[in-house]
């Protein structure tokens, strides 16, 4: 299709993605890996039930496909630090409680750390890994079995679409359950 004929195919894809984002869910379809990631964000206070709800819903996927459910949290850290703030510890207490819920108790979870693009790529990857490890360690201290948790830092490598690379919303922790 030529760009002058009823728009470009990319416009339709972008519009569909914007509508899905507005609904609070993002589906990243990886054709090569046959993987589906359902991503949601908790708007407002982090509650045990919001986390359980976010991580226990399994979307319809083709049999044999690999899928992930991710809940994005704004876990606060001081600037240039992997030290959890008091607010972050309160939110993570709710996460630990949610992971003990019967609907999630046997699930394996990856804690993903992400940064914005401020700073060097190597520094951001290291800092995001330290932050993911801090979250994982805190959850273990709160009774979540270490064997269920994996910490990974992606730095600025996986930015959210629709935001500038240096936007503060890029600094996030995602809690990912894989099936």
């Amino acid at each position: 299709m030529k760009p002058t004929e009823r728009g470009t195919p990319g416009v339709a894809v972008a519009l569909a993605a914007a509508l899905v984002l507005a609904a609070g869910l993002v589906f990243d379809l990886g054709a090569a890996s046959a993987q589906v990631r359902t991503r949601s964000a908790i708007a407002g206070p982090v509650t045990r039930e919001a986390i359980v709800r976010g991580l226990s819903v399994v979307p319809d996927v083709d049999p044999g496909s690999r899928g992930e459910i991710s809940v994005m949290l704004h876990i606060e850290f001081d600037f240039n630090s992997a030290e959890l703030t008091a607010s972050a510890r309160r939110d993570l207490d709710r996460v630990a409680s949610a992971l003990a819920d019967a609907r999630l108790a046997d699930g394996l979870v990856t804690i993903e750390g992400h940064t914005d693009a401020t700073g060097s790529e190597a520094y951001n990857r290291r800092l995001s890994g330290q932050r993911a490890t801090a979250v994982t360690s805190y959850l273990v201290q709160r009774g979540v079995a270490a064997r269920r948790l994996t910490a990974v830092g992606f730095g600025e490598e996986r930015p959210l679409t629709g935001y500038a690379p240096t936007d503060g919303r890029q600094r996030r922790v995602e809690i990912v359950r894989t099936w």
Side-chain angles (χ1 to χ4, degrees), residues 57-132:
V57 175
V58 177
D60 292 332
V61 294
D62 293 330
S65 293
R66 184 168 173 253
E68 298 175 333
I69 293 182
S70 167
V71 173
M72 293 185 292
L73 299 175
H74 179 74
I75 301 295
E76 294 181 7
F77 295 90
D78 289 331
F79 181 73
N80 196 28
S81 170
E83 186 79 24
L84 293 166
T85 65
S87 173
R89 288 190 298 274
R90 282 190 299 274
D91 287 347
L92 291 173
D93 287 341
R94 294 178 193 110
V95 170
S97 177
L99 292 176
D101 186 279
R103 293 169 280 183
L104 302 175
D106 293 331
L108 300 177
V109 176
T110 301
I111 307 299
E112 294 182 352
H114 302 271
T115 66
D116 64 17
T118 305
S120 75
E121 195 172 316
Y123 178 81
N124 286 337
R125 180 163 290 134
R126 185 173 54 254
L127 180 60
S128 66
Q130 291 168 342
R131 288 176 171 177

Side-chain angles (χ1 to χ4, degrees), residues 7-19:
T8 63
V11 172
V13 172
L15 181 58
L19 291 172

Side-chain angles (χ1 to χ4, degrees), residues 118-150:
T118 305
S120 75
E121 195 172 316
Y123 178 81
N124 286 337
R125 180 163 290 134
R126 185 173 54 254
L127 180 60
S128 66
Q130 291 168 342
R131 288 176 171 177
T133 298
V135 168
T136 300
S137 297
Y138 188 84
L139 292 173
V140 169
Q141 291 171 12
R142 294 297 180 258
V144 179
R147 66 173 172 66
R148 294 180 57 203
L149 302 173
T150 303

